[in-house]
């Protein structure tokens, strides 16, 4: 006599999916996987009883070391940090939270495929197609690059020349910048005129982003003398800003005294010294009582106090605020 397999509505005791479960307390997918594990079936996905490397709970895990509940959560984009770590071949600590999944007769859950093999070196593995096709998260905005300043104030110190790199442009890809769309349109026109590849437009757009981010808070136009701070293609970007009507008139640039033969600003604090010396008297005395290192604010190698150079110790005292 054939036994009748009873089904009820409850939560699966393995994957926590709420819906129709069999008499064993498992959903049809977990019941099939458990039968394959019990019968020693090694064809396809290999299952074993162990602690899930994502949530940390003991369960029936697949070849990637995760339970079905965690695989469903990652597949349904419930943990983008874990998915990005798998794509980058990194391993995160276990103990991440779970999410209850609902199994409906009219809707089908995606297949809980393993992301990778835990017994194979990460560099020799190929991730599933749906993982590779998943869009990467939008780049974040690094506030340490071109620090946002308060508009409407008179600056006590002149801005010093910067040394931008391509890495700086990549760190502010997610920052909204006024005028960027106009410059991008101008660069697109120049790319069609010059018949250059997409790499040219990518690098020029990164330089334009740096030039727009380096503007003073009360200025809408880009000063042409500041384009010399960009890593490359300054003449091309000058033409692009001119086409977009975002290029300001050229002005004389104040530079430290050690970069010119005339009188200028102090090399460390940028205060006007009115002398030909490279550093003012205050910075010379400051250097004798402090050790040198990389400033946490301007990233220059100078004498520090609590991680900051003399310039960024004086600025809060003069303005009554904090620039950190």
């Amino acid at each position: 006599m054939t036994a009748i397999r009873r089904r009820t509505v409850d939560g699966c005791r393995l994957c926590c999916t709420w819906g129709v479960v069999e008499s064993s307390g498992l959903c049809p997918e977990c019941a099939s996987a458990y039968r394959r594990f019990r019968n020693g079936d090694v064809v396809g996905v290999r299952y074993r009883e162990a602690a899930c490397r994502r949530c940390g709970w003991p369960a029936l895990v697949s070849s990637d070391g995760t339970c079905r509940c965690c695989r469903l959560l990652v597949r349904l984009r419930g943990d983008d940090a874990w998915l990005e770590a798998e794509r980058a071949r990194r391993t995160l600590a276990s103990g991440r939270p779970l999410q209850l999944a609902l199994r409906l007769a009219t809707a089908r859950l995606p297949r809980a495929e393993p992301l990778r093999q835990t017994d194979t070196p990460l560099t020799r593995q190929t991730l599933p197609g749906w993982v590779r096709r998943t869009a990467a998260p939008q780049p974040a905005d690094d506030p340490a690059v071109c620090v946002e300043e308060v508009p409407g104030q008179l600056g006590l110190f002149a801005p010093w020349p910067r040394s931008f790199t391509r890495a700086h442009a990549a760190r502010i890809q997610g920052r909204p910048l006024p005028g960027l769309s106009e410059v991008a349109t101008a660069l697109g026109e120049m790319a069609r005129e010059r018949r250059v590849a997409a790499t040219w437009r990518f690098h020029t757009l990164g330089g334009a982003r740096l030039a727009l981010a380096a503007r003073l808070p009360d200025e809408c136009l880009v000063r042409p003398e500041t384009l010399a701070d960009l890593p490359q293609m300054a003449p091309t970007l000058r033409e692009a800003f001119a086409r977009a009507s975002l290029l300001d008139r050229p002005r004389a640039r104040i530079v430290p005294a050690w970069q010119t033969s005339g009188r200028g600003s102090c090399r460390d604090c940028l205060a006007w010294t009115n002398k030909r010396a490279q550093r003012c008297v205050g910075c010379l005395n400051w250097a004798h009582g402090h050790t040198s290192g990389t400033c946490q604010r301007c990233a220059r190698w100078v004498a520090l106090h609590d991680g900051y150079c003399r310039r960024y110790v004086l600025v809060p005292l003069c303005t009554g605020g904090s620039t950190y």
Side-chain angles (χ1 to χ4, degrees), residues 143-147 159-164 168 171 267-270 293-304 307-313 315 323-324:
V145 179
C146 294
V147 181
W160 63 88
R162 309 173 191 241
S163 297
F164 288 120
H168 292 127
R171 288 162 60 182
R267 184 181 65 182
D268 290 351
C269 69
L270 303 185
T294 303
C295 178
Q296 299 181 13
R297 180 63 165 75
C298 63
R300 298 181 302 163
W301 185 268
V302 289
L304 305 179
Y308 296 97
C309 63
R310 183 172 180 265
R311 168 182 168 85
Y312 287 103
V313 174
V315 168
T323 60
Y324 306 151

Side-chain angles (χ1 to χ4, degrees), residues 148-225:
E148 184 178 0
E149 300 180 16
V150 180
Q153 295 187 1
L154 178 62
L156 298 178
F157 304 96
W160 63 88
R162 309 173 191 241
S163 297
F164 288 120
T165 63
R166 294 181 182 179
H168 292 127
R171 288 162 60 182
I172 59 172
Q173 286 187 4
R175 180 178 302 182
L177 297 170
L180 183 60
S181 58
E182 290 82 354
V183 180
T185 302
L187 289 174
E189 297 175 356
M190 297 173 61
R192 289 188 293 269
E193 294 173 1
R194 303 184 182 189
R195 298 181 181 181
V196 292
T199 305
W200 179 91
R201 187 174 180 179
F202 173 79
H203 290 308
T204 53
L205 189 60
R209 186 177 287 109
L210 287 172
L212 293 173
R215 292 176 297 184
L216 295 178
D218 295 320
E219 295 183 354
C220 298
L221 304 179
V222 176
R223 296 187 180 184
E225 61 271 9

Side-chain angles (χ1 to χ4, degrees), residues 115-134:
L115 298 182
R116 58 183 176 85
Q117 308 293 330
T118 56
D119 55 352
T120 306
L122 297 180
T123 56
R124 301 180 183 178
Q125 298 184 32
T126 302
L127 298 179
W130 71 269
V131 178
R132 297 193 301 270
R133 290 190 298 269
T134 304

Side-chain angles (χ1 to χ4, degrees), residues 54-57 69-70 73-74 78-79 93-100:
R54 183 189 174 277
C55 65
W57 288 94
C69 184
C70 289
L73 178 64
V74 174
D79 192 351
S94 60
R96 305 179 76 86
L98 299 176
Q99 178 66 40
L100 176 65

Side-chain angles (χ1 to χ4, degrees), residues 16 38 45 48 65 72 81 134 138 207 227 270 286 311 313 320:
C16 304
R38 184 180 55 188
V45 180
R48 66 181 188 275
L72 282 175
T134 304
Q138 293 295 327
L227 298 178
L270 303 185
W286 173 277
R311 168 182 168 85
V313 174

